[in-house]
Short mmCIF file of all heavy atoms in Angstrom, two decimals:
data_model
loop_
_atom_site.label_atom_id
_atom_site.label_comp_id
_atom_site.label_asym_id
_atom_site.label_seq_id
_atom_site.Cartn_x
_atom_site.Cartn_y
_atom_site.Cartn_z
N LEU Y 197 -53.21 -19.78 -121.16
CA LEU Y 197 -54.33 -19.20 -121.91
C LEU Y 197 -53.99 -19.15 -123.43
O LEU Y 197 -52.84 -18.99 -123.78
CB LEU Y 197 -54.64 -17.79 -121.44
CG LEU Y 197 -54.96 -17.67 -119.90
CD1 LEU Y 197 -55.21 -16.21 -119.60
CD2 LEU Y 197 -56.15 -18.51 -119.54
N ASP Y 198 -55.03 -19.17 -124.28
CA ASP Y 198 -54.76 -18.98 -125.70
C ASP Y 198 -54.44 -17.48 -125.90
O ASP Y 198 -54.65 -16.67 -125.03
CB ASP Y 198 -55.95 -19.47 -126.56
CG ASP Y 198 -57.20 -18.72 -126.35
OD1 ASP Y 198 -57.15 -17.47 -126.20
OD2 ASP Y 198 -58.25 -19.39 -126.23
N SER Y 199 -53.99 -17.12 -127.14
CA SER Y 199 -53.43 -15.78 -127.34
C SER Y 199 -54.51 -14.73 -127.17
O SER Y 199 -54.28 -13.64 -126.66
CB SER Y 199 -52.74 -15.67 -128.61
OG SER Y 199 -53.66 -15.94 -129.71
N GLN Y 200 -55.78 -15.04 -127.56
CA GLN Y 200 -56.81 -14.05 -127.40
C GLN Y 200 -57.11 -13.76 -125.94
O GLN Y 200 -57.24 -12.57 -125.53
CB GLN Y 200 -58.07 -14.51 -128.09
CG GLN Y 200 -59.14 -13.45 -128.22
CD GLN Y 200 -60.51 -14.00 -128.62
OE1 GLN Y 200 -60.60 -15.14 -129.10
NE2 GLN Y 200 -61.57 -13.26 -128.45
N ARG Y 201 -57.20 -14.81 -125.15
CA ARG Y 201 -57.46 -14.66 -123.69
C ARG Y 201 -56.24 -14.01 -122.99
O ARG Y 201 -56.39 -13.29 -122.05
CB ARG Y 201 -57.86 -15.95 -123.04
CG ARG Y 201 -59.25 -16.30 -123.52
CD ARG Y 201 -59.94 -17.39 -122.75
NE ARG Y 201 -61.35 -17.43 -123.17
CZ ARG Y 201 -61.75 -17.72 -124.42
NH1 ARG Y 201 -60.88 -18.02 -125.37
NH2 ARG Y 201 -63.02 -17.69 -124.72
N ALA Y 202 -55.06 -14.35 -123.49
CA ALA Y 202 -53.81 -13.75 -122.89
C ALA Y 202 -53.88 -12.25 -123.11
O ALA Y 202 -53.59 -11.45 -122.19
CB ALA Y 202 -52.60 -14.35 -123.55
N ARG Y 203 -54.39 -11.81 -124.27
CA ARG Y 203 -54.43 -10.35 -124.52
C ARG Y 203 -55.53 -9.70 -123.64
O ARG Y 203 -55.31 -8.59 -123.19
CB ARG Y 203 -54.78 -10.11 -125.99
CG ARG Y 203 -53.54 -10.20 -126.83
CD ARG Y 203 -53.83 -10.12 -128.29
NE ARG Y 203 -52.58 -10.33 -129.01
CZ ARG Y 203 -51.68 -9.42 -129.18
NH1 ARG Y 203 -51.83 -8.21 -128.74
NH2 ARG Y 203 -50.56 -9.69 -129.83
N ILE Y 204 -56.62 -10.45 -123.41
CA ILE Y 204 -57.67 -9.90 -122.54
C ILE Y 204 -57.10 -9.69 -121.19
O ILE Y 204 -57.24 -8.64 -120.49
CB ILE Y 204 -58.88 -10.84 -122.49
CG1 ILE Y 204 -59.60 -10.80 -123.86
CG2 ILE Y 204 -59.87 -10.37 -121.38
CD1 ILE Y 204 -60.67 -11.83 -124.05
N VAL Y 205 -56.34 -10.63 -120.63
CA VAL Y 205 -55.77 -10.58 -119.31
C VAL Y 205 -54.76 -9.41 -119.26
O VAL Y 205 -54.72 -8.62 -118.33
CB VAL Y 205 -55.13 -11.94 -118.89
CG1 VAL Y 205 -54.20 -11.72 -117.69
CG2 VAL Y 205 -56.24 -12.92 -118.57
N MET Y 206 -53.93 -9.29 -120.31
CA MET Y 206 -52.95 -8.25 -120.40
C MET Y 206 -53.59 -6.84 -120.34
O MET Y 206 -53.19 -5.90 -119.76
CB MET Y 206 -52.00 -8.38 -121.53
CG MET Y 206 -50.99 -9.48 -121.41
SD MET Y 206 -50.08 -9.47 -119.85
CE MET Y 206 -49.30 -7.84 -119.97
N ASP Y 207 -54.69 -6.74 -121.13
CA ASP Y 207 -55.41 -5.48 -121.20
C ASP Y 207 -56.04 -5.09 -119.85
O ASP Y 207 -56.08 -3.98 -119.42
CB ASP Y 207 -56.49 -5.51 -122.28
CG ASP Y 207 -55.89 -5.49 -123.67
OD1 ASP Y 207 -54.71 -5.13 -123.80
OD2 ASP Y 207 -56.60 -5.86 -124.63
N LEU Y 208 -56.51 -6.17 -119.12
CA LEU Y 208 -57.00 -5.90 -117.75
C LEU Y 208 -55.95 -5.42 -116.85
O LEU Y 208 -56.13 -4.46 -116.07
CB LEU Y 208 -57.57 -7.20 -117.19
CG LEU Y 208 -58.99 -7.59 -117.60
CD1 LEU Y 208 -59.30 -9.01 -117.23
CD2 LEU Y 208 -59.99 -6.63 -116.98
N LEU Y 209 -54.77 -6.04 -116.93
CA LEU Y 209 -53.65 -5.63 -116.10
C LEU Y 209 -53.26 -4.18 -116.38
O LEU Y 209 -52.97 -3.33 -115.49
CB LEU Y 209 -52.44 -6.55 -116.27
CG LEU Y 209 -52.63 -7.98 -115.74
CD1 LEU Y 209 -51.35 -8.80 -116.07
CD2 LEU Y 209 -52.90 -8.00 -114.22
N ARG Y 210 -53.28 -3.81 -117.64
CA ARG Y 210 -53.01 -2.45 -118.05
C ARG Y 210 -54.01 -1.48 -117.42
O ARG Y 210 -53.62 -0.43 -116.85
CB ARG Y 210 -53.10 -2.35 -119.55
CG ARG Y 210 -53.30 -0.95 -120.16
CD ARG Y 210 -52.05 -0.16 -120.11
NE ARG Y 210 -50.91 -0.85 -120.69
CZ ARG Y 210 -49.58 -0.57 -120.35
NH1 ARG Y 210 -49.35 0.39 -119.52
NH2 ARG Y 210 -48.65 -1.28 -120.88
N ARG Y 211 -55.29 -1.83 -117.44
CA ARG Y 211 -56.35 -0.99 -116.86
C ARG Y 211 -56.12 -0.85 -115.34
O ARG Y 211 -56.28 0.24 -114.78
CB ARG Y 211 -57.70 -1.56 -117.15
CG ARG Y 211 -58.82 -0.49 -117.07
CD ARG Y 211 -60.08 -1.08 -117.62
NE ARG Y 211 -60.82 -1.82 -116.63
CZ ARG Y 211 -61.77 -2.71 -116.85
NH1 ARG Y 211 -62.07 -3.04 -118.11
NH2 ARG Y 211 -62.35 -3.30 -115.90
N ILE Y 212 -55.77 -1.93 -114.73
CA ILE Y 212 -55.51 -1.97 -113.26
C ILE Y 212 -54.33 -1.00 -112.93
O ILE Y 212 -54.40 -0.25 -112.00
CB ILE Y 212 -55.25 -3.34 -112.77
CG1 ILE Y 212 -56.51 -4.20 -112.86
CG2 ILE Y 212 -54.70 -3.37 -111.33
CD1 ILE Y 212 -56.24 -5.69 -112.92
N ALA Y 213 -53.30 -1.08 -113.71
CA ALA Y 213 -52.08 -0.24 -113.46
C ALA Y 213 -52.49 1.23 -113.50
O ALA Y 213 -52.08 2.03 -112.67
CB ALA Y 213 -51.05 -0.55 -114.50
N ILE Y 214 -53.36 1.57 -114.47
CA ILE Y 214 -53.77 2.96 -114.57
C ILE Y 214 -54.76 3.34 -113.46
O ILE Y 214 -54.59 4.33 -112.74
CB ILE Y 214 -54.40 3.20 -116.00
CG1 ILE Y 214 -53.25 3.03 -117.07
CG2 ILE Y 214 -55.04 4.58 -116.03
CD1 ILE Y 214 -53.78 2.93 -118.44
N ASP Y 215 -55.81 2.49 -113.28
CA ASP Y 215 -56.84 2.83 -112.35
C ASP Y 215 -56.31 2.86 -110.91
O ASP Y 215 -56.76 3.68 -110.10
CB ASP Y 215 -57.98 1.75 -112.36
CG ASP Y 215 -58.81 1.91 -113.64
OD1 ASP Y 215 -58.61 2.82 -114.44
OD2 ASP Y 215 -59.71 1.00 -113.83
N GLN Y 216 -55.42 1.98 -110.53
CA GLN Y 216 -54.95 1.90 -109.16
C GLN Y 216 -53.57 2.55 -109.01
O GLN Y 216 -52.95 2.49 -107.94
CB GLN Y 216 -54.87 0.44 -108.69
CG GLN Y 216 -56.22 -0.24 -108.70
CD GLN Y 216 -56.22 -1.53 -107.90
OE1 GLN Y 216 -57.26 -2.17 -107.83
NE2 GLN Y 216 -55.13 -1.93 -107.33
N ASN Y 217 -53.04 3.15 -110.10
CA ASN Y 217 -51.71 3.72 -110.07
C ASN Y 217 -50.71 2.70 -109.53
O ASN Y 217 -49.90 3.02 -108.66
CB ASN Y 217 -51.70 5.02 -109.25
CG ASN Y 217 -50.62 5.97 -109.71
OD1 ASN Y 217 -50.14 5.88 -110.86
ND2 ASN Y 217 -50.16 6.80 -108.83
N ALA Y 218 -50.87 1.53 -109.98
CA ALA Y 218 -50.07 0.40 -109.45
C ALA Y 218 -48.91 0.09 -110.44
O ALA Y 218 -48.95 0.40 -111.57
CB ALA Y 218 -50.96 -0.87 -109.33
N ALA Y 219 -47.91 -0.63 -109.96
CA ALA Y 219 -46.82 -1.11 -110.77
C ALA Y 219 -47.06 -2.61 -110.89
O ALA Y 219 -47.29 -3.32 -109.92
CB ALA Y 219 -45.49 -0.83 -110.08
N ILE Y 220 -46.94 -3.10 -112.15
CA ILE Y 220 -47.21 -4.53 -112.40
C ILE Y 220 -46.02 -5.13 -113.14
O ILE Y 220 -45.54 -4.59 -114.11
CB ILE Y 220 -48.49 -4.64 -113.30
CG1 ILE Y 220 -49.68 -3.92 -112.58
CG2 ILE Y 220 -48.80 -6.13 -113.53
CD1 ILE Y 220 -51.01 -4.14 -113.17
N ILE Y 221 -45.52 -6.23 -112.56
CA ILE Y 221 -44.39 -6.90 -113.15
C ILE Y 221 -44.92 -8.26 -113.56
O ILE Y 221 -45.43 -9.03 -112.75
CB ILE Y 221 -43.22 -7.08 -112.21
CG1 ILE Y 221 -42.80 -5.65 -111.69
CG2 ILE Y 221 -42.04 -7.78 -112.87
CD1 ILE Y 221 -41.66 -5.75 -110.61
N VAL Y 222 -44.78 -8.60 -114.84
CA VAL Y 222 -45.33 -9.81 -115.33
C VAL Y 222 -44.17 -10.65 -115.94
O VAL Y 222 -43.51 -10.25 -116.91
CB VAL Y 222 -46.32 -9.52 -116.52
CG1 VAL Y 222 -46.88 -10.82 -117.06
CG2 VAL Y 222 -47.41 -8.57 -116.04
N VAL Y 223 -43.93 -11.86 -115.39
CA VAL Y 223 -43.00 -12.82 -115.99
C VAL Y 223 -43.72 -13.46 -117.18
O VAL Y 223 -44.87 -13.90 -117.01
CB VAL Y 223 -42.59 -13.89 -115.01
CG1 VAL Y 223 -41.85 -15.01 -115.70
CG2 VAL Y 223 -41.74 -13.27 -113.91
#
Side-chain angles (χ1 to χ4, degrees):
L197 305 178
D198 64 42
S199 60
Q200 190 193 345
R201 286 191 172 67
R203 279 172 185 282
I204 291 171
V205 165
M206 287 309 301
D207 289 343
L208 279 169
L209 292 177
R210 160 76 49 205
R211 201 168 88 201
I212 290 158
I214 293 166
D215 288 355
Q216 297 194 182
N217 206 25
I220 305 190
I221 304 175
V222 182
V223 169

